[in-house]
Amino acid sequence: MTELPHIESLRGGTTAAIVAADLDLKTALAQETARRWFARTLSMRSPLDPALPARPGRPEKPELIPPKHMEKRSLHTLKGRIALLHALAHIELNAVDLALDIVARFTTERVPHSFFDGWMQVAFEEAKHFRLIRDRLRDLGADYGDLPAHDGLWQAAHDTRNDLTARLAVVPLILEARGLDVTPTLQAKMRETGDDASADILDIIYNDEKGHVAVGAKWFRFLCAREKKDPSATFKELVRTNFRGPLKPPFNDVARAEAGLTPSFYRALVSVSQS
Ligand SMILES: [Fe+2]
Ligand SMILES: [Fe+2]
């Protein structure tokens, strides 16, 4: 186990985790900062906090390529399952940095402490997800870094770096909610091929991710209420200006609703973003 550097504050610990290129160190720092924050032994900021980097620290591998160059493989082959798990590991790694960035970047925002509780819980769980999938890849004789990965997710964070409400619209309410739509099918396919170990991991992730969308929806509504804005109209407006990709049905309406994301938020966006 890599020895952890001293964690100075919530902002310092989350920033150090974002900067870390060693993924054992990154995930350990994310989880330790969360533990210390929950134990109330960390201040919000310190003058010694390092500056937030423009991009998170990453190992040399995987090679990052444009999303359209990613190969699609059938889950009925070992190679195909490894490729899917590799893509998911990459998404979880981005999710670690995205959750940490919401905390580190917005520690100066006027929000209750429980805002940071919610996002540190998310960061803690994303680190857990990344490790679970990486360990599964290792069980299958592969590892994170063996295949190329796409480089689209960090852009979403970068584009909304100056606006917390826009960040919440795009990261938890678009990107993470998309995970709720696609995970049950992937899980079923994994079971069909007899890979129960991978399916069990997807199960853990799916349940945690409902919580992440719920944290996003809660604080998105909080910020809208404070500005006296209508949440679903604001969501549509922010997504139109800050998100380039399409919103693809079918939606998992049940899981989305459980997380507090009602169809009024996303239904009307389908045609707009596809036109
Ligand atoms: Fe996750
Ligand atoms: Fe998540």
Side-chain angles (χ1 to χ4, degrees):
M1 179 75 225
T2 333
E3 198 172 318
L4 291 184
H6 179 67
I7 298 172
E8 204 67 56
S9 68
L10 179 66
R11 184 174 64 184
T14 47
T15 306
I18 294 169
V19 169
D22 174 321
L23 302 181
D24 287 327
L25 179 63
K26 183 190 289 289
T27 48
L29 270 171
Q31 295 197 323
E32 186 57 19
T33 306
R35 277 188 207 102
R36 299 237 350 239
W37 173 253
F38 292 134
R40 300 292 182 246
T41 61
L42 277 186
S43 60
M44 187 79 87
R45 298 180 294 271
S46 150
L48 300 174
D49 295 340
L52 255 182
R55 292 184 64 84
R58 291 296 165 80
E60 270 172 35
K61 295 232 152 181
E63 182 199 346
L64 298 178
I65 58 172
K68 57 180 185 299
H69 294 166
M70 294 294 292
E71 260 178 72
K72 287 222 158 51
R73 290 204 190 97
S74 152
L75 291 188
H76 289 280
T77 65
L78 175 61
K79 256 187 152 178
R81 278 182 291 131
I82 288 173
L84 174 76
L85 290 168
H86 193 280
L88 293 176
H90 186 67
I91 290 171
E92 295 296 346
L93 179 60
N94 273 284
V96 175
D97 285 317
L98 287 169
L100 293 169
D101 191 83
I102 289 177
V103 174
R105 189 172 299 275
F106 296 103
T107 48
T108 47
E109 195 84 12
R110 284 182 306 118
V111 283
H113 270 45
S114 53
F115 172 88
F116 299 102
D117 294 348
W119 292 108
M120 286 316 290
Q121 183 66 32
V122 174
F124 186 95
E125 288 172 355
E126 303 298 13
K128 177 183 81 178
H129 297 168
F130 174 74
R131 288 176 170 188
L132 281 169
I133 300 179
R134 188 180 54 185
D135 290 347
R136 181 65 191 141
L137 278 169
R138 289 174 176 168
D139 290 344
L140 295 173
D143 203 351
Y144 178 67
D146 287 356
L147 299 170
H150 75 77
D151 191 28
L153 283 172
W154 186 253
Q155 197 59 40
H158 190 72
D159 290 349
T160 54
R161 65 195 174 283
N162 298 319
D163 182 349
L164 178 58
T165 317
R167 169 67 62 90
L168 297 187
V170 172
V171 173
L173 301 187
I174 294 276
L175 299 175
E176 294 198 281
R178 179 86 193 125
L180 298 183
D181 301 334
V182 299
T183 310
T185 316
L186 291 178
Q187 208 179 358
K189 282 187 187 158
M190 282 290 187
R191 293 243 183 253
E192 246 173 63
T193 66
D195 188 344
D196 285 328
S198 298
D200 289 346
I201 293 171
L202 290 179
D203 209 23
I204 295 171
I205 292 178
Y206 179 64
N207 282 310
D208 288 346
E209 293 301 335
K210 282 187 213 167
H212 300 182
V213 178
V215 170
K218 173 183 165 180
W219 292 107
F220 182 81
R221 287 177 192 278
F222 170 89
L223 294 171
C224 289
R226 199 172 66 183
E227 305 286 317
K228 302 197 168 41
K229 287 180 174 166
D230 174 67
S232 67
T234 308
F235 180 72
K236 280 169 211 153
E237 199 183 296
L238 288 172
V239 172
R240 277 181 199 137
T241 32
N242 293 285
F243 187 69
R244 293 171 207 155
L247 234 67
K248 281 180 268 178
F251 299 110
N252 184 345
D253 290 320
V254 175
R256 282 170 172 257
E258 261 180 64
L261 199 56
T262 45
S264 68
F265 271 80
Y266 52 90
R267 286 268 178 230
L269 280 167
V270 176
S271 53
V272 173
S273 54
Q274 281 177 345
S275 62

